[in-house]
Amino acid sequence: MKFDIACLTLEEKLHLLCGKDWWCLENANGKLPDFRVGDGPSGLRKEIDGTWVSATLMPTLSVVSNTWSREMAFLDGETIANDCVENDVDVLLAPGVNIKRSPLCGRNFEYFSEDPYLAGTLAKEFINGVQKSGIGTSLKHFCLNNSETDRTHTSSEVDERVMREIYTRAFEIALEAKPWTVMCSYNKVNGVYSAENKWLLKDILRDKLHFDGLIVSDWRAVGIFYKAIKASLNLIMPHENDSFDNLLNAYNKGLLTDDEVDYSVQKILDLMEKAVSAVKTIKYTKKERHDNAVKIAEEGIVLLKNDNLLPIIKGTCLVNHPENPLINGGGSASVKTDFKMPDIIELLNKQAKSGAVFEKASHRNCEFILRAHDCDTVIITVNGEIEQETMDRETIKLSNLEEERILQLASANKNVVVVVIGGSAVDMSAWIDSVKAVVFCGYAGEGLNEALANIITGKTCPSGKLSESFPMCIEDTFMKLNHGNGFVNWYNDGVFVGYRYYDKYNLDVLFPFGYGLSYAKFSYTNLKIKKLGDTDFAISYDITNESDFDAKEVSEIYVKDVFASVIRPEKELKAFSKDLIKAHQTKTICCKLDKMAFAYYSIPSKDWYVENGEFIIMVGSSSRDIRLRDTVSINLDESIQYSKVSKY
Ligand code: GLC
């Protein structure tokens, strides 16, 4: 169905540009369909006159990212889309792909990773999952919104190479899924608000990243309306009392031309056409959506430490787990779920292998500690402070009380398992050497208790891996550089973000990017690399599961430019695979590398550029556990070496 812009009056057009209310667009006096958007990345957030619609609370995207599974990312998007279809929401305001530059960022739970390739690849699958069901997405927040405190007035100051290689790269990859919309960020970029930044929205997002969909503002992110429309932003949300007058006055003063108005109106009509012509499908029942939440949580839970204690298959285990553990972060990603999580003790005893008995700990600390003396194993779950939009954390440590309780327990029982719930990295240095096992759940959604019980009892083998580094302490992060003063945020860590940073400065980390334990043991052999073209290679290697457990393994491909004319990271993730390998079986894993595995962004040539020379290909079980490596040479003819790589 085509909506003809010629049928709209100027007034109707200007009303279209600035929304109808907090969530809906105008319908031009009935000439257009009703259209509604809704958050968010952890599930549908829809409120009507203050009443929230119940929806499935999925694991947050940080947990989806810890699955390292394209399949789980797709399933997550598909599942949330079912709630959107049922509740007449046309566009889901997700996924967020902002890079996790600091573990303090309050919204890290909503984002995927510190690595743009992992973040972009999983976001692309999430978008495909949502849009396959006939619902649009909003890839957000474009861009350089990497901290929450002062987000509405801080300017992110960055050079174009750093921006393209790190901060827009995840968007560039995710755009391959053709999200219906992109949402701009609150902050300024190099001094100009994103929403009004023509260099950012037109020159970069449209002309360089080739996005031709609708650009929507973040909510109340626009200061000067006509400047936003002139900068290539198409929809100003939400509607405010003076929105229409704001635009009409600018138009009457000649600050806004008919062509500029029509350009954005047409983007809105195109969006509405997508929505009305999309086939909206509901694939899962409510129960199946919940089961999907459990399945994704299981694959996103990360086993960080295990001194032969898990899975618990025998003896008496005392369990101290909150009645209402944190299962999501705070802010616009909130979701109202009417699912009541089953009691974890009942779940554990139901799943337990014969011989293991799980007992609920008393809430009175002294009895808890006393009882702990007499049990074979103790499990304690710690939450940390809730992480949320609009504010960054002050610390990445647990509270003093929680640290003291862990240490008290460890003095009462030598077999302590700590289950950590949190939206981002946690400094565990005060207590980790005193306990035997650590399980990181992230904010795992309404399926937390079922997923956790399956992991603890061994019904499911853990397969999650960290998609952000866990530093020893916050002082080991770039935070020690002068990175900002509340008004300006200098990205002087450059391309050295996350593991790229810790590698560059040879810093030990508590747990590296890409790290996660299994109950199985995997060996890697037989790396083969076949050159397919100038910069295209086929990589294959074998992984053997040497255990009695059927288990999934994430293998990671990193590339190092041996000698570059610009400073480059020690290694960069350029491919990964998650594969089920049955007990005592060997599987051959195949990946491909293309030009973007080798290129860096050249500011002089304003494009991606592959420099001749040697590159080391590494296959790792984590970024700091490289199992196989080999070297390839690239020797491009001068004529194409300097050509725009992206024009291949
Ligand atoms: C919020 C968030 C954005 C969300 C929007 C609508 O401020 O930044 O992610 O989609 O407003 O709630």
Side-chain angles (χ1 to χ4, degrees):
M1 172 187 284
K2 296 292 281 180
F3 299 114
D4 186 354
I5 195 169
C7 303
L8 301 176
T9 65
L10 171 68
E11 191 168 297
E12 287 166 344
K13 289 177 183 176
L14 295 180
H15 273 296
L16 266 181
L17 298 183
C18 54
K20 179 184 170 191
D21 55 33
W22 201 264
W23 301 111
C24 297
L25 274 59
E26 277 291 354
N27 66 13
N29 300 309
K31 295 176 188 172
L32 299 173
D34 291 337
F35 194 96
R36 173 185 282 270
V37 302
D39 286 316
S42 309
L44 173 64
R45 175 167 82 103
K46 178 180 177 181
E47 48 187 305
I48 300 178
D49 303 328
T51 306
W52 284 40
V53 163
S54 289
T56 312
L57 173 50
M58 302 301 286
T60 61
L61 291 183
S62 57
V63 174
V64 174
S65 193
N66 286 345
T67 71
W68 287 66
S69 166
R70 295 171 175 84
E71 181 195 352
M72 291 297 109
F74 183 94
L75 180 66
D76 186 39
E78 197 180 31
T79 304
I80 297 174
N82 281 202
D83 280 330
C84 294
V85 171
E86 249 168 29
N87 288 282
D88 299 322
V89 170
D90 298 291
V91 168
L92 177 72
L93 300 173
V97 289
N98 295 89
I99 291 299
K100 301 186 184 184
R101 181 181 180 221
S102 164
L104 293 170
C105 175
R107 286 185 94 170
N108 276 354
F109 73 92
E110 280 193 57
Y111 302 145
F112 289 89
S113 179
E114 67 193 34
D115 179 85
Y117 176 78
L118 180 61
T121 302
L122 295 179
K124 183 166 78 172
E125 291 307 321
F126 178 94
I127 292 165
N128 287 331
V130 174
Q131 296 189 166
K132 169 182 174 278
S133 305
I135 300 295
T137 54
S138 196
L139 182 60
K140 65 189 187 180
H141 306 88
F142 192 79
C143 66
L144 287 140
N145 185 171
N146 306 101
S147 61
E148 285 300 294
T149 305
D150 301 323
R151 68 177 178 173
T152 58
H153 55 262
T154 298
S155 176
S156 298
E157 300 289 314
V158 68
D159 80 24
E160 194 167 346
R161 178 186 170 209
V162 173
M163 194 174 88
R164 293 297 306 277
E165 283 193 25
I166 302 293
Y167 295 100
T168 61
R169 183 65 185 135
F171 288 89
E172 190 168 13
I173 296 167
L175 284 173
E176 291 168 16
K178 298 192 177 310
W180 289 6
T181 77
V182 166
M183 183 189 295
C184 76
S185 59
Y186 280 113
N187 54 283
K188 297 175 183 174
V189 175
N190 296 338
V192 179
Y193 278 108
S194 298
E196 300 157 27
N197 195 320
K198 186 165 184 175
W199 170 72
L200 192 70
L201 301 183
K202 170 81 173 60
D203 300 351
I204 303 290
L205 181 55
R206 291 213 182 277
D207 296 348
K208 286 274 189 173
L209 304 189
H210 310 302
F211 176 64
D212 66 357
L214 178 135
I215 303 174
V216 60
S217 71
D218 201 338
W219 267 232
R220 291 183 169 161
V222 178
I224 303 172
F225 281 32
Y226 80 89
K227 281 190 176 176
I229 302 297
K230 292 178 90 73
S232 200
L233 188 117
N234 312 124
L235 176 61
I236 299 168
M237 290 297 278
H239 180 80
E240 311 270 18
N241 294 335
D242 62 350
S243 293
F244 173 74
D245 292 342
N246 204 314
L247 287 169
L248 184 62
N249 293 340
Y251 177 83
N252 290 337
K253 288 176 186 167
L255 296 170
L256 206 50
T257 67
D258 286 312
D259 286 351
E260 288 163 341
V261 170
D262 286 356
Y263 171 81
S264 285
V265 168
Q266 190 57 54
K267 292 293 183 188
I268 294 172
L269 299 183
D270 295 346
L271 179 66
M272 289 178 165
E273 281 161 18
K274 281 176 186 165
V276 297
S277 52
V279 175
K280 299 185 192 304
T281 56
I282 294 179
K283 180 174 179 181
Y284 302 110
T285 65
K286 196 154 180 60
K287 163 80 171 63
E288 287 166 337
R289 288 170 221 170
H290 171 76
D291 293 344
N292 291 346
V294 175
K295 189 175 176 185
I296 295 166
E298 277 184 342
E299 291 223 16
I301 287 175
V302 186
L303 179 59
L304 293 176
K305 180 176 184 181
N306 187 23
D307 292 352
N308 297 316
L309 194 55
L310 292 175
I312 295 173
I313 52 175
K314 64 181 185 314
T316 306
C317 177
L318 188 62
V319 181
N320 183 312
H321 184 77
E323 288 298 318
N324 297 298
L326 288 177
I327 52 177
N328 193 11
S332 60
S334 303
V335 175
K336 177 183 181 287
T337 175
D338 53 15
F339 179 79
K340 181 159 176 21
M341 284 202 291
D343 179 83
I344 194 157
I345 306 296
E346 290 171 19
L347 288 167
L348 287 164
N349 284 316
K350 190 174 127 197
Q351 304 291 13
K353 301 275 190 303
S354 58
V357 176
F358 295 88
E359 182 187 312
K360 192 182 190 69
S362 153
H363 288 296
R364 289 166 56 83
N365 195 41
C366 55
E367 289 173 17
F368 173 35
I369 299 298
L370 278 173
R371 181 72 188 115
H373 276 288
D374 304 330
C375 291
D376 300 293
T377 317
V378 183
I379 297 174
I380 179 169
T381 299
V382 289
N383 266 335
E385 289 296 309
I386 185 166
E387 294 165 54
Q388 57 193 318
E389 182 178 349
T390 72
M391 54 194 292
D392 296 328
R393 286 191 287 172
E394 296 292 322
T395 174
I396 61 171
K397 293 168 78 71
L398 298 175
S399 66
N400 293 337
L401 178 64
E402 287 179 314
E403 291 193 336
E404 282 160 22
R405 294 197 74 185
I406 293 169
L407 293 171
Q408 275 179 348
L409 262 182
S411 62
N413 188 304
K414 64 183 184 346
N415 293 327
V416 173
V417 179
V418 180
V419 175
V420 179
I421 289 175
S424 190
V426 175
D427 173 351
M428 304 178 188
S429 51
W431 49 267
I432 190 160
D433 294 336
S434 308
V435 302
K436 283 220 176 134
V438 179
V439 178
F440 182 73
C441 294
Y443 289 144
E446 64 182 54
L448 167 67
N449 283 2
E450 290 147 286
L452 183 58
N454 291 343
I455 297 275
I456 287 174
T457 58
K459 180 171 185 275
T460 301
C461 185
S463 61
K465 293 201 173 179
L466 294 179
S467 49
E468 65 174 300
S469 308
F470 278 31
M472 291 300 224
C473 57
I474 196 63
E475 291 72 23
D476 277 359
T477 69
F478 80 87
M479 296 295 286
K480 68 175 180 250
L481 302 177
N482 168 19
H483 79 288
N485 58 11
F487 289 91
V488 178
N489 210 334
W490 287 287
Y491 281 58
N492 39 23
D493 38 339
V495 296
F496 301 102
V497 176
Y499 68 91
R500 292 172 168 85
Y501 179 84
Y502 304 115
D503 284 349
K504 169 85 180 160
Y505 297 100
N506 291 316
L507 290 167
D508 288 337
V509 290
L510 185 62
F511 299 109
F513 174 79
Y515 171 89
L517 297 175
S518 170
Y519 297 149
K521 186 174 180 329
F522 297 104
S523 59
Y524 289 53
T525 55
N526 198 22
L527 172 62
K528 291 176 183 166
I529 301 176
K530 184 180 177 192
K531 186 160 187 168
L532 304 175
D534 291 323
T535 54
D536 288 56
F537 294 85
I539 315 289
S540 71
Y541 47 94
D542 294 343
I543 299 181
T544 300
N545 176 349
E546 298 175 349
S547 79
D548 299 332
F549 285 98
D550 292 348
K552 292 184 178 179
E553 169 68 343
V554 174
S555 49
E556 304 152 24
I557 308 272
Y558 295 89
V559 176
K560 172 185 169 57
D561 189 340
V562 174
F563 178 77
S565 49
V566 293
I567 52 167
R568 298 192 71 175
E570 193 48 37
K571 65 172 89 74
E572 298 185 280
L573 181 75
K574 296 297 181 183
F576 63 89
S577 183
K578 183 167 197 175
D579 301 275
L580 172 63
I581 305 170
K582 291 195 177 295
H584 303 294
Q585 299 294 308
T586 295
K587 183 173 271 188
T588 298
I589 315 298
C590 300
C591 299
K592 283 203 170 152
L593 297 178
D594 64 14
K595 62 187 181 292
M596 293 307 283
F598 306 98
Y600 68 83
Y601 186 82
S602 161
I603 293 180
S605 62
K606 284 202 169 303
D607 209 331
W608 294 95
Y609 170 69
V610 177
E611 193 166 22
N612 286 336
E614 290 195 331
F615 293 82
I616 300 174
I617 312 296
M618 294 167 255
V619 183
S621 184
S622 86
S623 62
R624 292 212 167 164
D625 179 8
I626 301 302
R627 306 288 184 86
L628 303 167
R629 68 179 67 218
D630 201 347
T631 301
V632 298
S633 289
I634 289 184
N635 187 15
L636 300 178
D637 178 83
E638 182 85 6
S639 63
I640 58 171
Q641 185 190 5
Y642 280 87
S643 70
K644 302 282 182 278
V645 169
S646 55
K647 284 184 184 152
Y648 266 29

